[in-house]
Amino acid sequence: MAKLIYTLATQGRSLNLEDILRILDISERTVRRYLKAINEFLTNRQGEPLIKVIKTGGIERWRLNETMPLEATPYQLMSLYLGSILMSSLDQTVVRDGLMDMFSDLEGTIPLAQRALLKNYQKKFYTTGFGSRRYEDMDDHIDMVLRGLLNQYKLELHYRSQKGERDYLVQPYTLVMHRDALYLNAWVDSYGEIRTFRVDNILQAKLTKDYFDYPIDYSPELFYEKSFGVYKGDDGSRITVVIEFPETLYDYVANRSWIANQEISPVQNGKFQMKVVVSNLFEIFHWVMGIGSEAKVIGPEELIEMVKGEAQKILGSYNKMVYESI
């Protein structure tokens, strides 16, 4: 029973019943007997049972019942639920589990007279999850990253990149969500600069007890000021990119935020232009290729050649398919 309480306390979040049985290596019958005994004799500061059991979507989760009483309106609760489904790629991770724990706490505070407003709320919000990454297998690594961020402890990372695997000692600064994927901005001692790590490329993460002072002059907004996404140039380059689009794409391009410094020209003769300053061409090249022939690069020449070269490769592969079929 002490190990059960200790496990829930050190996790800092709810655990599903299956994980509890695996960690304690006991049967479900035994752990339920422990739960009953603990909640009969131990309470939290509000006099409530020490362990709270939550059932969401058919999954039973346990956690220490130490949350202070809160109140919420149905509108606030639905706003929180909407935020949780927008993070569907983080399902079964410490991030979304913590959010759903808060949702369960707030759900119990809704007055009975307003409970009817919550009927069928699961059907009223939905995300397709189209193209989203899955992070349930990365839960332990995300947990270490969060603990490093909150406690300002350095992390030891074993990381896989295109250049191979290597170890890093980093100071975690910011967890970044970009296109439904997680990235970590961290100061790398050996490089003397901030680098960006893709979380799903972290093979192992270990929390150290080496404290660091969070830099007061660091700003994620400034860090990504000239990044068309999360990739930055290594030499502080400033590359001006101009792309022309047909008027039919104005809503898609002009009414979305792509980069802080984007400039959109008025529509003239059925066309308009977007001008941005970036530090590298990697992501904007792939963005242009994703739009296809309706995105015409005006400059720089380097990006024009990259697009032309890729188009020739695509055409060549299809020509080869036709030739082989003959």
Side-chain angles (χ1 to χ4, degrees), residues 71-129:
E71 292 183 358
T73 66
Y75 187 88
Q76 291 172 324
L77 193 65
M78 289 304 96
S79 298
L80 184 63
Y81 183 72
L82 177 59
S84 75
I85 68 168
L86 291 177
M87 300 174 69
S88 59
S89 61
L90 297 178
D91 194 22
Q92 298 182 46
T93 69
V94 60
V95 178
R96 197 160 185 268
D97 287 349
L99 196 59
M100 295 312 296
D101 284 350
M102 181 179 292
F103 180 88
S104 298
D105 284 337
L106 292 175
E107 188 176 18
T109 70
I110 302 298
L112 291 176
Q114 297 179 331
R115 291 288 176 91
L117 298 175
L118 302 181
K119 187 178 180 180
N120 296 322
Y121 70 83
Q122 300 97 330
K123 300 179 182 179
K124 296 178 180 179
F125 304 93
Y126 181 72
T127 178
T128 64

Side-chain angles (χ1 to χ4, degrees), residues 204-300:
Q204 186 175 1
K206 181 180 178 181
L207 187 68
T208 75
K209 294 298 182 181
D210 191 359
Y211 179 84
F212 68 91
D213 292 317
Y214 201 88
I216 59 174
D217 58 346
Y218 162 74
S219 165
E221 292 85 3
L222 293 177
F223 183 76
Y224 287 118
E225 186 179 23
K226 291 186 289 296
S227 295
F228 200 84
V230 294
Y231 292 95
K232 290 173 57 66
D234 296 330
D235 56 1
S237 300
R238 292 175 57 89
I239 308 169
T240 300
V241 176
V242 180
I243 307 170
E244 185 178 82
F245 303 92
E247 184 178 0
T248 54
L249 285 183
Y250 188 86
D251 181 64
Y252 175 74
V253 174
N255 293 330
R256 295 175 185 241
S257 177
W258 304 102
I259 187 172
N261 61 58
Q262 67 188 45
E263 297 178 15
I264 308 294
S265 71
V267 175
Q268 292 184 347
N269 300 320
K271 298 179 180 180
F272 69 96
Q273 293 184 350
M274 180 174 76
K275 178 181 177 181
V276 299
V277 178
V278 299
S279 59
N280 77 85
L281 298 174
F282 177 81
E283 280 197 271
I284 199 165
F285 160 71
H286 288 280
W287 184 68
V288 168
M289 295 303 301
I291 295 175
S293 61
E294 292 186 305
K296 180 181 178 181
V297 179
I298 306 301

Side-chain angles (χ1 to χ4, degrees), residues 28-216:
E28 180 177 345
R29 181 179 178 181
T30 299
V31 79
R32 290 195 182 281
R33 189 170 70 247
Y34 289 170
L35 173 68
K36 182 180 179 181
I38 290 171
N39 282 346
E40 281 182 357
F41 295 101
L42 297 176
T43 63
N44 64 11
R45 286 170 289 184
Q46 287 77 48
E48 301 167 337
L50 184 62
I51 297 178
K52 185 171 185 177
V53 178
I54 307 164
K55 291 185 178 180
T56 306
I59 299 176
E60 186 173 315
R61 307 187 66 85
W62 296 17
R63 67 179 177 86
L64 289 189
N65 190 13
E66 282 296 323
T67 303
M68 296 297 289
L70 299 172
E71 292 183 358
T73 66
Y75 187 88
Q76 291 172 324
L77 193 65
M78 289 304 96
S79 298
L80 184 63
Y81 183 72
L82 177 59
S84 75
I85 68 168
L86 291 177
M87 300 174 69
S88 59
S89 61
L90 297 178
D91 194 22
Q92 298 182 46
T93 69
V94 60
V95 178
R96 197 160 185 268
D97 287 349
L99 196 59
M100 295 312 296
D101 284 350
M102 181 179 292
F103 180 88
S104 298
D105 284 337
L106 292 175
E107 188 176 18
T109 70
I110 302 298
L112 291 176
Q114 297 179 331
R115 291 288 176 91
L117 298 175
L118 302 181
K119 187 178 180 180
N120 296 322
Y121 70 83
Q122 300 97 330
K123 300 179 182 179
K124 296 178 180 179
F125 304 93
Y126 181 72
T127 178
T128 64
F130 180 74
S132 63
R133 298 179 188 271
R134 305 302 305 174
Y135 285 98
E136 56 263 39
D137 294 336
M138 303 291 299
D139 191 34
D140 290 342
H141 300 165
I142 295 173
D143 183 41
M144 288 297 102
V145 169
L146 289 180
R147 293 177 187 273
L149 286 166
L150 292 175
N151 296 301
Q152 293 177 212
Y153 286 152
K154 293 182 181 181
L155 295 171
E156 294 177 356
L157 302 181
H158 185 58
Y159 188 77
R160 179 185 64 244
S161 68
Q162 293 180 344
K163 298 179 181 179
E165 298 180 13
R166 64 163 297 177
D167 296 319
Y168 295 90
L169 180 65
V170 306
Q171 300 176 16
Y173 283 177
T174 307
L175 192 61
V176 181
M177 176 70 81
H178 173 60
R179 293 189 176 183
D180 222 15
L182 283 178
Y183 298 83
L184 174 66
N185 283 358
W187 175 270
V188 183
D189 291 354
S190 57
Y191 292 149
E193 64 181 13
I194 300 172
R195 291 290 181 95
T196 300
F197 298 88
R198 233 176 66 183
V199 169
D200 51 326
N201 278 352
I202 296 176
L203 302 178
Q204 186 175 1
K206 181 180 178 181
L207 187 68
T208 75
K209 294 298 182 181
D210 191 359
Y211 179 84
F212 68 91
D213 292 317
Y214 201 88
I216 59 174

